[in-house]
């Protein structure tokens, strides 16, 4: 039989691993979008361009998602530590 605490630890480490992968995806996506944003800004310096504004909004949303993923990961880890200590 597998110890219930060990099973919980495996589940929680699996969750943490998934969150780390998700964070890496967000970072990679942000880098790509920043490159695209820079290229588009160079193309249309002086004109008000809707796609550029939309790209900036998407980038800001991605950064927000990244922050939320970090906060969620930290919250999960703290909860795991509290559960294991109890």
């Amino acid at each position: 039989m597998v110890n219930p605490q060990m099973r919980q630890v495996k589940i929680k480490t699996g969750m943490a691993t998934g969150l780390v992968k998700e964070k890496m995806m967000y970072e990679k996506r942000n880098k790509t979008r920043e490159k695209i944003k820079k290229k588009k800004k160079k193309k249309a310096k002086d004109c008000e361009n809707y796609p550029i504004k939309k790209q900036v909004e998407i980038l800001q949303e991605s950064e927000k998602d990244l922050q939320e993923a970090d906060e969620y990961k930290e919250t999960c880890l703290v909860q795991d530590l509290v559960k294991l200590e109890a």
Side-chain angles (χ1 to χ4, degrees):
M1 274 319 281
V2 175
N3 185 354
Q5 286 183 335
M6 285 301 295
R7 184 169 187 257
Q8 287 297 318
V9 169
K10 286 182 181 181
I11 291 170
K12 302 301 179 180
T13 54
M15 284 176 47
T17 303
L19 290 170
V20 168
K21 288 180 182 180
E22 185 178 358
K23 180 183 175 191
M24 288 171 40
M25 279 187 357
Y26 284 137
E27 289 174 343
K28 184 178 179 181
R29 184 173 68 181
N30 278 346
K31 284 182 183 179
T32 304
R33 287 187 175 163
E34 284 177 0
K35 287 179 184 178
I36 291 170
K37 185 179 112 180
K38 286 179 184 178
K39 286 180 183 178
K40 286 186 177 184
K41 272 190 173 181
K42 286 180 182 178
K43 272 187 174 179
K45 279 188 176 179
D46 296 331
C47 64
E48 292 291 315
N49 205 351
Y50 176 77
I52 293 174
K53 286 183 179 179
K54 197 64 177 173
Q55 194 71 24
V56 169
E57 289 176 13
I58 292 171
L59 179 61
Q60 290 170 345
E61 285 180 16
S62 295
E63 291 171 351
K64 180 182 164 192
D65 290 342
L66 184 60
Q67 289 173 348
E68 288 176 0
D70 283 341
E71 291 172 6
Y72 181 74
K73 180 179 74 170
E74 290 175 10
T75 303
C76 286
L77 292 176
V78 169
Q79 287 177 349
D80 294 345
L81 291 174
V82 170
K83 286 180 182 178
L84 290 177
E85 290 177 2

